[in-house]
Each structure stands twice: as C-alpha cells, then as structure tokens.
Amino acid sequence: MKKNAIFFLLMLMSVLFFNCKSTNLKLSNEITAEKILGNPNYQAMCFGGYRDKTRDIEPTISQITEDLKILSAMNIKVLRTYNVHHTDTSNLLKAIRALKKEDPHFEMYLMLGAWIDCKNSWTANPLIRNEDSDRNPIEIAEAVKLANEYPEIVKIISVGNEAMVKWAWSYYVDPSIILKWVNHLQNLKKEGKLPKNLWITASDNFASWGGGSNDYHVEDLNQLIKAVDYISMHTYPMHDTHYNPQFWGILENEKQLTEREKIDAAMVRARDYAITQYNSVSNHMKSLGVDKQIHIGETGWATLSNDQYGNTGSKAIDEYKSALYYKLMREWTNKEGITLFYFEAFDEQWKDNANPLGSENHFGLINLQGQAKYGLWDLVDKGVFKGLTRDGKSITKTYNGNLNDLLLDVKTPSLLNK
C-alpha cells in the first residue's frame, strides 16, 4: 500500500511538472507583439553581448546566459537584436529557450533584426541605393528560419537598422528596398510560412519615417508606412547637442539656478526634443490617413566621450545626464503606452575599437567591468543583482557608489543663445 502511494505521488508530480511546462510554452506562444508593445509590464532593451574589441570574438552561450539573468532581474522582457551575420543571435535564442526550460516563469522575447544595406556597400565601388547587397536575401532568409524555429521567443522581425537615413552614407538604401522585404515577410505570413501573429516593422531614424525634411517624403515611404505592422523609430537628442543644439544649453532665465538644477532643466528639454521628433512621425503618418502604433526602437545617452559630445564639445556626456535621460524617457513612454527599446544594456568596445574613449563604446547601462552606472545604482541598493555576475564579477556601482566623486565629472553646458 505504501509503495502504491509513493508511485501515485510520483506520477502526480510528473503530470504537474509536464503540465506546467506545457502551459508555459502555450503562454509563450500566446504572448504576441500586439500584447507586448505599449505594455509597461514588458520593458525593452537593445542587446549586444560582445566583450572584446572585435566581433570575431563572439560571446559564448554561458556569457549570454549571464547577461539574460541580469536583464531579467532588471525586469527587461523584450530584447532587440540587429542582424544575423554571426552566431550571437542564434546563441541568444538558444540561451533564452534553455532558461525557459529551466524556469517556467522566465520570460524573454525578441525583436529580431535583419541587417539591410545597398549594392556595393562597404566597398570602393559606386553605391547603388535601389539595389540589394548580396547579403540582404541571406539575412531575410535566416531571420525567417529563426522566427519559425523559435516562435515562442521571436515576436517581431525588423527589416534594416537606420537603413534609409541619408547620413548612413556607407550603406543606406532607397525605401523601395525596405518595402520589398517588408512585403515579402507579410506575404509569408499570409501563406502560413511565418507565424500569423508575428509583427513586421523597420527600425529607422525619425527623419526616415517622414518626421524630417521633405526629401524623405516619397511614395515608397508612404507605402512602407502602410505595410508595416507598426513604426519603430529612433531618436537621439544626445547627438543633436552637437548637430542641432536648439534645445541644448542653459537658458538666460536659468542662470540663477544651481548647477545641478541647470543640468536637470537641460535634460528635460532633451526629453521634450525626443517627444517632438516622435510627434513629427505621428503627424506625417496621420497625414497619409494611417493610424498605427509608433514605438521607439532605439534611443540612448552615452556616459563617456572624447569627441564632439564630451567636455571639449557640447559637454553632454556623463553618467549623471545619462541616468536622467533614461529615467525621463522611461517615465514618459510608460505613461503614454509606448515601448522603448533603450540603447543599450552593456557597453560594447568593438563599435569604435580605434578610439576607446569614443562615445559609441559607452552607451551601456553596465560597463565592461560589471559595474552598474549611475542610472542603475538604485537597483544595486535594492539587491536586484544579488548573486548575479558578469564574467565572474559581481554587479557593483561605478565610482564606488560615491555621488560626489561622480559629480566632479559632470559639466554644465554653456549658455544657450535663443
């Protein structure tokens, strides 16, 4: 009788375990982009796990798993990737699936990027903007393969990254190229060759979505706006502290404020500048008779720079201003039901490997020493990262947590002439 009771108990536990795993998989498949986007319970982040100065040295699955645990502890549940050139994206998907198998409550979903560039990009040959590079069809095919292989994780495919903005001189394409591939993916959904609830978009600068000058307002862009499931736009006030500093600096009537109050006011204007760019895209979209969701596919604020944004330039970059921007943008987007893919989770030094102090290497919220920058100090205080490591290092605070030391590196922008 005792043996039968034990056998029955084991069978019941087995059934409950497999039912739990089955329910988790079912829920993962039921979580769609439509339910994720605009939902503040699904915070988003741009992700790259590279540690070294070259992309030839890729993060291991073990390293990616470390990163995923850190991001999950931060309540991040949606990640954005940029291409499928290397194995880091497929390894990311493997790591997520393994963590889901290990813990039925673990949630992480993907906005999967397919890189797009024009014919002869990155060569000495003449650039042909209205033709594909040889790589584009391979990127799209691999993105389709991964979306079908990991339907419980991949909820969005994004065609291109800043692939239409004209300052991306080395590779930008005419909107017709992006439109072609978006339509291709939408047709695969209709044919049952992609999950029907998978959303298709393109991620590009606000100007490329019609929020900038009139030379972007072409018919192919109009058709693209109608073809995507939602618009994924980028906004970077940080860059415009140099290129278009209409909002940046200290106003005449702010001269009597404390230095920190002056900086706080400048950062509020930076946030409002991003909102203006968001509204410009919304207005253009609605002028076409289209009313779709617009989410922010990328924005961020670097913490270190020896270029035009640093202390010899616009004096825009440091950990204090970066933390303010992160906080202000999260508050605004959460309130308005806008998903914000913040750029980015971790510093990556391959992006400007010839200049270690270049701003491109320092957009992360966590640096390469496993230190949380000022924007995340409160999470360290709350014990969010307790027991977690990155490359064997516990997550601690930059500046040893000394705010006064941090503030010594914070410069006040010059008086703004209006």
Side-chain angles (χ1 to χ4, degrees):
M1 188 73 177
K2 187 176 180 182
K3 288 183 179 179
N4 288 340
I6 293 172
F7 176 77
F8 177 78
L9 180 60
L10 289 172
M11 288 295 294
L12 179 60
M13 290 174 65
S14 176
V15 169
L16 289 173
F17 173 74
F18 283 107
N19 279 346
C20 180
K21 291 185 71 176
S22 176
T23 300
N24 182 56
L25 180 60
K26 183 179 178 183
L27 288 174
S28 294
N29 287 325
E30 288 177 351
I31 296 295
T32 63
E34 186 175 10
K35 294 178 180 179
I36 288 172
L37 293 172
N39 186 341
N41 293 321
Y42 290 88
Q43 296 292 291
M45 188 75 69
C46 299
F47 175 74
Y50 286 85
R51 273 76 163 167
D52 292 277
K53 291 184 177 181
T54 171
R55 292 186 74 198
D56 293 335
I57 303 174
E58 298 191 51
T60 65
I61 292 180
S62 175
Q63 288 176 317
I64 292 170
T65 300
E66 277 188 322
D67 292 348
L68 288 170
K69 290 179 178 179
I70 292 168
L71 289 164
S72 181
M74 293 167 55
N75 200 33
I76 302 298
K77 295 182 180 179
V78 194
L79 300 180
R80 180 189 169 193
T81 60
Y82 289 80
N83 57 68
V84 291
H85 283 57
H86 303 272
T87 60
D88 60 310
T89 300
S90 60
N91 284 340
L92 172 63
L93 287 160
K94 290 175 184 175
I96 293 172
R97 180 172 279 176
L99 285 170
K100 285 178 176 285
K101 184 177 180 181
E102 179 184 306
D103 177 6
H105 299 291
F106 182 82
E107 281 192 287
M108 196 66 74
Y109 306 101
L110 223 61
M111 174 181 174
L112 179 67
W115 187 269
I116 298 293
D117 43 25
C118 71
K119 184 75 172 177
N120 297 331
S121 293
W122 318 107
T123 73
N125 298 321
L127 300 170
I128 306 174
R129 304 294 183 187
N130 62 351
E131 291 187 23
D132 281 297
S133 70
D134 294 340
R135 175 70 198 185
N136 291 355
I138 299 170
E139 282 281 309
I140 296 295
E142 182 66 14
V144 169
K145 174 179 174 291
L146 292 173
N148 282 322
E149 188 176 351
Y150 296 90
E152 79 279 17
I153 302 171
V154 178
K155 301 301 178 181
I156 305 161
I157 292 180
S158 176
V159 178
N161 174 65
E162 293 178 350
M164 299 184 291
V165 68
K166 298 181 188 302
W167 46 253
W169 182 258
S170 300
Y171 67 93
Y172 87 80
V173 299
D174 289 347
S176 61
I177 298 296
I178 304 297
L179 174 62
K180 178 183 79 172
W181 290 117
V182 167
N183 283 338
H184 171 71
L185 295 173
Q186 297 288 27
N187 286 333
L188 290 182
K189 284 164 58 177
K190 293 175 184 176
E191 295 166 4
K193 296 177 181 177
L194 274 173
K196 64 179 181 179
N197 290 323
L198 181 74
W199 274 18
I200 310 300
T201 190
S203 286
D204 223 304
N205 182 267
F206 84 101
S208 306
W209 284 113
S213 58
N214 288 336
D215 58 332
Y216 285 98
H217 296 178
V218 297
E219 183 56 27
D220 284 328
L221 176 63
N222 297 344
Q223 294 306 314
L224 177 62
I225 289 172
K226 295 173 183 177
V228 294
D229 290 306
Y230 77 98
I231 290 174
S232 175
M233 62 154 279
H234 299 184
T235 175
Y236 273 98
M238 189 207 85
H239 290 136
D240 278 356
T241 63
H242 171 77
Y243 290 105
N244 188 26
Q246 57 181 285
F247 65 93
W248 187 243
I250 306 306
L251 299 177
E252 186 70 32
N253 62 4
E254 296 170 349
K255 289 171 65 175
Q256 305 307 314
L257 299 177
T258 66
E259 296 306 298
R260 283 184 67 176
E261 288 172 339
K262 291 174 183 176
I263 293 168
D264 291 353
M267 294 311 299
V268 168
R269 282 196 298 278
R271 188 270 321 271
D272 291 347
Y273 183 78
I275 294 174
T276 297
Q277 292 189 337
Y278 181 92
N279 290 338
S280 70
V281 173
S282 178
N283 291 337
H284 179 69
M285 175 190 70
K286 290 175 181 176
S287 76
L288 303 174
V290 179
D291 189 9
K292 292 183 177 178
Q293 296 179 35
I294 303 172
H295 299 285
I296 296 179
E298 196 177 306
T299 195
W301 200 282
T303 55
L304 188 64
S305 170
N306 63 357
D307 49 33
Q308 56 262 48
Y309 319 110
N311 292 339
T312 59
S314 62
K315 301 178 183 175
I317 288 184
D318 53 65
E319 286 195 28
Y320 182 76
K321 298 186 189 83
S322 174
L324 278 181
Y325 186 71
Y326 182 64
K327 176 176 179 288
L328 288 166
M329 290 296 286
R330 283 288 189 210
E331 288 176 348
W332 166 59
T333 52
N334 287 342
K335 180 182 176 183
E336 296 299 323
I338 299 167
T339 290
L340 166 63
F341 286 87
Y342 195 80
F343 186 85
E344 64 178 324
F346 305 99
D347 281 350
E348 295 182 273
Q349 59 181 337
W350 65 268
K351 295 187 174 181
D352 191 358
N353 58 17
N355 179 19
L357 298 180
S359 59
E360 289 298 310
N361 299 328
H362 300 281
F363 273 90
L365 295 172
I366 296 174
N367 67 25
L368 291 170
Q369 290 71 49
Q371 295 171 325
K373 299 180 186 180
Y374 182 53
L376 300 184
W377 281 13
D378 62 325
L379 297 187
V380 178
D381 290 336
K382 293 174 183 176
V384 164
F385 302 116
K386 186 177 181 180
L388 299 177
T389 60
R390 191 168 200 252
D391 299 327
K393 300 172 183 175
S394 299
I395 308 302
T396 58
K397 297 179 184 179
T398 53
Y399 293 90
N400 291 318
N402 189 317
L403 180 58
N404 289 328
D405 287 348
L406 183 155
L407 291 174
L408 292 175
D409 289 332
V410 178
K411 306 302 179 185
T412 307
S414 303
L415 189 68
L416 181 63
N417 295 318
K418 283 211 165 195

